[in-house]
Amino acid sequence: MFSSETKQLTLTKKMVLLLCQQAEARVEQLKSLEPHSEEGLVATIEYNNIQVKLHFTPEKITLNKDCVEGELRLLKPPQFETESIVYRYLIAGWTRFLGGKLPNGALPKEVRIENNKVYYTLPRTQLQLLDSLFHSLENGSALMINLQQGNLTVETSVALSWNNFKLQNLLQLLSLK
């Protein structure tokens, strides 16, 4: 649903669930992604026999010519689980002595964390959904995002119309055609 008066696009919980399933199928380390009952998303990522559960909400996406800059807010500290006793001791030590903070250089250069905010930069070509929905927006346009009770609301700085959407690409992306 979109409203040109309020400059908002709203994806219902059903569509958000479909997008979560698409992400799970395309990202190898992503074991599950689902909307939280109140706010945000809960993702389970597995890497080297360690499962990390993240509860976060997307807040802002800035569209640039060749990249997309995004901002997520962590709603809870990450939770780590593993069956390996060695990893459990390492995680406990990291949590206790480093306060759970990641040292500089531990993340890819496209990702940085400041307090409970995660900032990332991705090539625009990797985000086909954004291109299908907002291809006509100017470079530097910001999308403010709110995810409450499974419904995702995207607010733009310009009015939206059906001409803004590449419906054919969107249907192909969602494997509905």
Side-chain angles (χ1 to χ4, degrees):
M1 300 180 292
F2 77 92
S3 168
S4 50
E5 297 86 38
T6 60
K7 302 176 184 175
Q8 289 183 341
L9 170 70
T10 301
L11 302 178
T12 62
K13 186 174 184 175
K14 199 172 191 179
M15 181 59 81
V16 171
L17 285 169
L18 179 63
L19 292 172
C20 288
Q21 291 169 354
Q22 293 285 325
E24 287 175 15
R26 293 185 174 146
V27 180
E28 185 178 332
Q29 290 88 4
L30 184 61
K31 298 305 171 194
S32 73
L33 180 65
E34 55 193 31
H36 187 268
S37 61
E38 293 175 21
E39 181 182 9
L41 296 164
V42 177
T44 303
I45 301 165
E46 187 173 322
Y47 184 74
N48 285 343
N49 296 321
I50 298 174
Q51 282 197 355
V52 182
K53 187 174 268 191
L54 297 171
H55 184 187
F56 66 94
T57 189
E59 291 197 326
K60 181 179 177 183
I61 295 175
T62 303
L63 305 172
N64 296 313
K65 183 177 180 178
D66 56 351
C67 70
V68 172
E69 296 174 1
E71 183 179 319
L72 306 173
R73 181 170 42 94
L74 296 174
L75 297 170
K76 292 182 182 175
Q79 297 173 333
F80 297 88
E81 294 178 18
T82 182
E83 292 184 15
S84 166
I85 202 145
V86 172
Y87 281 147
R88 277 192 267 181
Y89 280 119
L90 289 173
I91 292 168
W94 168 69
T95 303
R96 182 177 177 121
F97 298 114
L98 295 177
K101 300 214 183 287
L102 293 174
N104 289 334
L107 294 171
K109 66 179 181 173
E110 300 86 13
V111 178
R112 78 179 196 285
I113 298 176
E114 294 176 11
N115 299 321
N116 68 339
K117 298 277 188 160
V118 178
Y119 301 93
Y120 62 90
T121 303
L122 294 171
R124 195 158 175 171
T125 55
Q126 285 187 350
L127 298 172
Q128 297 166 339
L129 178 64
L130 282 179
D131 185 52
S132 296
L133 293 174
F134 303 108
H135 73 94
S136 64
L137 293 184
E138 296 177 10
N139 290 333
S141 294
L143 306 173
M144 303 309 291
I145 302 168
N146 186 5
L147 184 54
Q148 297 286 329
Q149 299 171 339
N151 294 318
L152 181 103
T153 303
V154 180
E155 187 174 330
T156 68
S157 53
V158 296
L160 298 172
S161 74
W162 282 109
N163 297 332
N164 293 104
F165 306 127
K166 292 182 182 177
L167 293 177
Q168 186 88 10
N169 293 7
L170 185 60
L171 293 174
Q172 286 175 343
L173 179 64
L174 297 175
S175 302
L176 297 174
K177 184 176 178 194

